Amino acid sequence: MTLGKPNLSVVVPLYNEADNVAPLVHAVTEALAESTSWELILVDDGSTDQTVATADAIAARDEHVRLIQLARNYGQTTAMQAGFDHARGNVVVSMDGDLQNDPRDIPLLTAKLEEGYDLVAGYRMRRKDKLITRKIPSWIANRLIQRITRVQIRDNGCSLKAYRIELLRSIHIYSDMHRFIPAVAAATAGARIAEVPVRHHARRYGTSKYGLSRILKVLGDLLTIKMIRSFRDRPLAMMALGSLVAAVFALALGAATIVASVGFVQQKANAVVFPGAAMLWLGLTGYLLMLGLVAEVALWEHRRDGGEKLPLVHEEDS
Amino acid sequence: MTEPIRVHRPEDVSAHPLDPDISVIVPITERPEDLVELYHEYSEPLAESGRSFEFVFVAEPWGRKLTEPLLDIASQGQPIRVFQVGQTMGEAALLRLAAAHCHAPVVVTLPAYRRVQASALEDLIQGLQDGADVVTARRWPRHDAWFNRLQGWVFHGLLGSFTRPRLRDVACGVRAIRRDVLMQLPLYGDFFRFLPLLAAREGYVVSELAVPQHERDTSTRLYGPGVYLRRIIDLLGLFFLLRFTEKPLRFFGLLGSLLATVGGGVLAVLLYQRLNGQGIADRPLLLLGVLLLVLGIQAVALGLVGEIIVHLHASGRRSYRLAHQPSSPGSESETALPPQRGP
């Protein structure tokens, strides 16, 4: 028996989670027992253990479960994007494969989504993780992300989120962006975003794939997202702003040159160092302007090809 | 494919198997030897194995004289095809061209000079049948000049420091590849040398196989300084392409913030000294500080533009490849996926 098009797609990226697959499928099945039609998309991200064998066996006997197998380990973001690409439901829910999220929260998220949101993010109540290496960095990161992206999400690290399929079709995540889906969704698609509290469990099987090294990456990605967000619509304007600052430095050093050569005893070195520094800043002024022009060209070509998508809208009932 | 091509086909096509098992591609670029001899030497073990095969030679204009004897034996019924491009196009273009014009499911690339024993081809093809997508030959044990081995050792040491799988003879150029895999890979410029690594990046199974070196492959190879410089630039380009194509700002941002931090530090020291009454107008250190800071800002700005380009292209592209098509093919028609392209 094959199912028709499901209403709900649950996407779970898996990387070496062999022990967790069967309990995960069981938990999701139980949680969604009352839902009419759903599918569970397991995305194997190049696991080297028994994940694929286990998931494949389950997919073969359970028509709700589909396995998408990536050719190598691409990372969580790409695995999630692959799952989104293959999702068929009108509503998509993403969650982690390590059973730290509770599938029983899925109906909560989808119910909230029905209230008229494009994205509903879970935030973890009473988080069961190590304090020093997980909770504190996460708290700092979330404050930073809130501050910089201006998207009020308390817990960006929580994978349990629900999306309208229209939203997922209009954004694309790559690199390490899965932590910033709300920020990306807000910035590029104008999504309406809500939060609901979700349960959180300690890890039962397998090991965590995160280390402290990701903090630096998160900071870098945050900077990238911030820059793209403020830069992508008018790169020339942003570059011109930088170029203006450089021009101010150039002028200041130019003035210093004049003062030094008029007011003080003339030394040969004076006549080189200040004007030299002024010229370096002047060089930067020109360089940034030219770079801004190149960025405008790239953007222009993209828009001309019809690459710019409309933001999501809801037509209000009269 | 826009390269001008002239195809020299023997008239008696019936002697050729239309769909051979193996296509052996020979781009004629440097150090060419007697090609008829080369053909006989390498085709003999293939013929003995009972496989059907074809040899596809691609030559630039200067190779005309070398390929003429091939056409003679092709007209006697040997499975040889010769392609002649109108201009000097480079080895990558020759490979791309030959790949587009051969039909066998398995492609073997072979330099136009002897590097490995003829028996190696069979071993490489066997490797593909054992499940690999690309099998690349490593000449081992080596018995050529120590200088060759030294420069190879240095080059592969550098290469191995940032690439997986670790390859120990990229230069060999003797490889067996599934044709559909070859057609998925970008073969441009100088990066065709690293074809196994590009394949591994796409998630294909790549293996390196030790095969006996040819006894003629012994001459000491000392190249001009330009060649060594190009190899180093290749490594830099490869490093960037393998790691940062999706995240240019990670590379430029790191580089830029390092430069800017050093530059800013220098300027801070100068500012401190100035506030303590020491003159700085005659200190070249001021120039250095400003220069580093400016360079740092330039690097970050460049990374930002790179990031914009990646961001703009991301929406129309899937940067992953599936191990195989999903289990329920009927459902695929419902999800309109953009065509998969390599990043």
Side-chain angles (χ1 to χ4, degrees):
Chain A
M1 176 190 129
T2 51
L3 290 167
K5 191 172 173 295
N7 291 326
L8 171 67
S9 299
V10 181
V11 171
V12 184
L14 298 171
Y15 180 53
N16 291 346
E17 298 280 5
D19 292 338
N20 281 323
V21 176
L24 175 87
V25 174
H26 182 73
V28 171
T29 308
E30 224 164 54
L32 296 178
E34 287 173 16
S35 302
T36 46
S37 70
W38 57 276
E39 64 176 351
L40 173 61
I41 298 177
L42 302 172
V43 186
D44 167 60
D45 187 18
S47 297
T48 49
D49 65 353
Q50 290 301 305
T51 304
V52 172
T54 317
D56 212 21
I58 294 173
R61 61 166 192 267
D62 188 340
E63 74 269 19
H64 286 294
V65 181
R66 290 164 70 203
L67 174 66
I68 306 291
Q69 200 186 333
L70 299 186
R72 66 168 167 91
N73 180 243
Y74 284 93
Q76 198 177 346
T77 305
T78 307
M80 277 172 79
Q81 181 65 52
F84 294 159
D85 287 338
H86 289 87
R88 294 174 296 164
N90 299 322
V91 171
V92 180
V93 170
S94 65
M95 58 184 274
D96 277 341
D98 55 9
L99 284 170
Q100 288 194 271
N101 297 132
D102 194 325
R104 285 179 294 167
D105 292 322
I106 293 175
L108 263 67
L109 292 170
T110 54
K112 188 78 180 168
L113 204 68
E114 291 302 313
E115 289 175 21
Y117 294 99
D118 299 307
L119 192 162
V120 176
Y123 68 92
R124 290 167 285 191
M125 305 277 284
R126 284 186 291 282
R127 209 175 147 185
K128 305 283 194 307
D129 269 325
K130 289 196 181 94
L131 182 72
I132 303 288
T133 56
R134 303 296 302 276
K135 281 202 214 169
I136 291 179
S138 159
W139 185 82
I140 297 171
N142 280 310
R143 293 305 296 269
L144 263 175
I145 293 172
Q146 273 187 28
R147 199 72 189 274
I148 291 177
T149 65
R150 301 221 184 84
V151 174
Q152 298 302 320
I153 293 283
R154 263 166 281 191
D155 188 3
N156 285 275
C158 179
S159 296
L160 188 56
K161 293 188 179 83
Y163 321 82
R164 222 174 264 289
I165 192 73
E166 293 84 9
L167 170 64
L168 291 182
R169 292 286 174 262
S170 71
I171 62 173
H172 180 80
I173 52 170
Y174 58 94
S175 186
D176 277 332
M177 264 187 216
H178 61 274
R179 293 184 197 90
F180 306 104
I181 295 178
V184 173
T188 61
R192 301 180 191 198
I193 298 171
E195 270 188 302
V196 293
V198 297
R199 282 162 276 213
H200 190 241
H201 303 295
R203 198 172 236 281
R204 274 196 280 171
Y205 306 101
T207 51
S208 172
K209 278 83 185 177
Y210 293 133
L212 275 170
S213 69
R214 80 203 159 107
I215 293 174
L216 264 182
K217 283 187 183 171
V218 170
L219 286 179
D221 287 348
L222 196 57
L223 187 73
T224 309
I225 284 185
K226 171 69 181 164
M227 283 185 166
I228 286 181
R229 205 182 153 167
S230 44
F231 184 81
R232 69 157 287 165
D233 278 335
R234 47 189 75 85
L236 184 57
M238 297 293 295
M239 286 295 188
L241 203 69
S243 137
L244 203 66
V245 175
V248 168
F249 280 115
L251 283 177
L253 281 161
T257 311
I258 294 168
V259 171
S261 60
V262 174
F264 302 103
V265 185
Q266 181 65 40
Q267 289 177 352
K268 270 184 188 159
N270 276 2
V272 174
V273 174
F274 271 170
M279 278 183 254
L280 284 176
W281 284 112
L282 200 65
L284 183 64
T285 309
Y287 172 86
L288 287 180
L289 274 178
M290 290 188 284
L291 210 55
L293 289 174
V294 171
E296 285 290 348
V297 170
L299 212 63
W300 169 256
E301 291 293 313
H302 174 72
R303 289 177 185 140
R304 214 185 49 167
D305 293 345
E308 206 78 338
K309 286 180 179 134
L310 288 172
L312 298 172
V313 284
H314 297 258
E315 190 169 350
E316 307 285 339
D317 294 330
S318 54
Chain B
M1 294 300 140
T2 52
E3 287 97 48
I5 318 160
R6 270 179 291 153
V7 184
H8 297 257
R9 248 184 214 281
E11 262 130 58
D12 180 18
V13 189
S14 61
H16 300 242
L18 277 176
D19 287 305
D21 300 329
I22 317 281
S23 289
V24 182
I25 293 177
V26 189
I28 301 161
T29 49
E30 52 175 323
R31 287 196 280 143
E33 301 176 3
D34 184 336
L35 294 175
V36 173
E37 232 174 76
L38 180 120
Y39 165 74
H40 284 304
E41 183 173 341
Y42 281 105
S43 65
E44 197 178 336
L46 286 177
E48 276 170 19
S49 74
R51 298 177 202 275
S52 62
F53 61 89
E54 60 174 359
F55 272 62
V56 180
F57 291 86
V58 218
E60 295 173 334
W62 60 267
R64 169 77 42 91
K65 274 206 187 69
L66 291 159
T67 55
E68 266 162 14
L70 287 171
L71 292 170
D72 292 342
I73 62 166
S75 62
Q76 291 157 22
Q78 297 289 346
I80 294 177
R81 296 158 75 196
V82 178
F83 292 89
Q84 189 91 49
V85 294
Q87 299 292 329
T88 303
M89 308 294 290
E91 192 170 346
L94 297 187
L95 277 176
R96 199 161 74 236
L97 194 93
H101 284 273
C102 66
H103 306 293
V106 168
V107 172
V108 176
T109 64
L110 195 68
Y113 39 91
R114 294 163 177 77
R115 287 203 140 158
V116 299
Q117 301 278 4
S119 63
L121 265 47
E122 191 60 31
D123 297 340
L124 295 174
I125 294 164
Q126 190 58 45
L128 282 192
Q129 283 169 350
D130 294 343
D133 298 309
V134 179
V135 184
T136 176
R138 176 197 184 196
R139 291 162 287 176
W140 191 260
R142 294 290 286 254
H143 50 69
D144 50 340
W146 65 268
F147 184 76
N148 289 355
R149 278 181 276 174
L150 178 72
Q151 59 189 13
W153 185 78
V154 171
F155 180 80
H156 292 95
L158 285 171
L159 183 70
S161 64
F162 65 90
T163 58
R164 292 291 173 275
R166 202 175 248 279
L167 298 178
R168 282 158 300 190
D169 196 358
V170 183
C172 181
V174 184
R175 290 161 188 148
I177 312 164
R178 281 183 22 220
R179 182 173 179 273
D180 54 326
V181 174
L182 183 63
M183 298 308 286
Q184 296 287 321
L185 299 174
L187 286 175
Y188 294 96
D190 276 337
F191 290 115
F192 72 91
R193 279 166 218 287
F194 305 108
L195 187 122
L197 296 168
L198 300 179
R201 183 182 190 275
E202 299 298 315
Y204 292 108
V205 180
V206 175
S207 67
E208 192 177 59
L209 191 71
V211 298
Q213 190 176 16
H214 200 280
E215 58 273 7
R216 284 223 221 152
D217 182 34
T218 49
S219 60
T220 303
R221 285 185 285 280
L222 178 61
Y223 302 98
V227 173
Y228 291 104
L229 192 67
R230 265 200 352 240
R231 289 300 91 80
I232 289 174
I233 293 169
D234 284 351
L235 286 179
L236 177 69
L238 190 73
F239 175 74
F240 185 79
L241 282 179
L242 290 181
R243 293 269 177 96
F244 299 104
T245 32
E246 279 206 330
K247 39 201 132 184
L249 194 56
R250 283 230 182 125
F251 178 81
F252 289 108
L254 189 70
L255 189 73
S257 37
L258 278 178
L259 288 169
T261 309
V262 176
V266 167
L267 291 180
V269 169
L270 286 177
L271 181 68
Y272 174 78
Q273 293 180 345
R274 181 72 188 79
L275 292 177
N276 284 328
Q278 225 174 315
I280 57 167
D282 56 349
R283 305 270 300 275
L285 197 59
L286 179 68
L287 274 186
L288 180 70
V290 172
L291 181 68
L292 289 177
L293 190 59
V294 165
L295 267 179
I297 296 171
Q298 289 184 346
V300 173
L302 204 57
L304 197 54
V305 172
E307 200 74 36
I308 288 288
I309 292 173
V310 171
H311 178 79
L312 294 180
H313 279 264
S315 53
R317 190 187 70 185
R318 292 296 169 262
S319 53
Y320 59 87
R321 204 175 62 76
L322 299 182
H324 44 71
Q325 282 309 302
S327 42
S328 50
S331 64
E332 283 317 288
S333 52
E334 289 172 37
T335 53
L337 275 187
Q340 280 197 18
R341 259 192 282 158

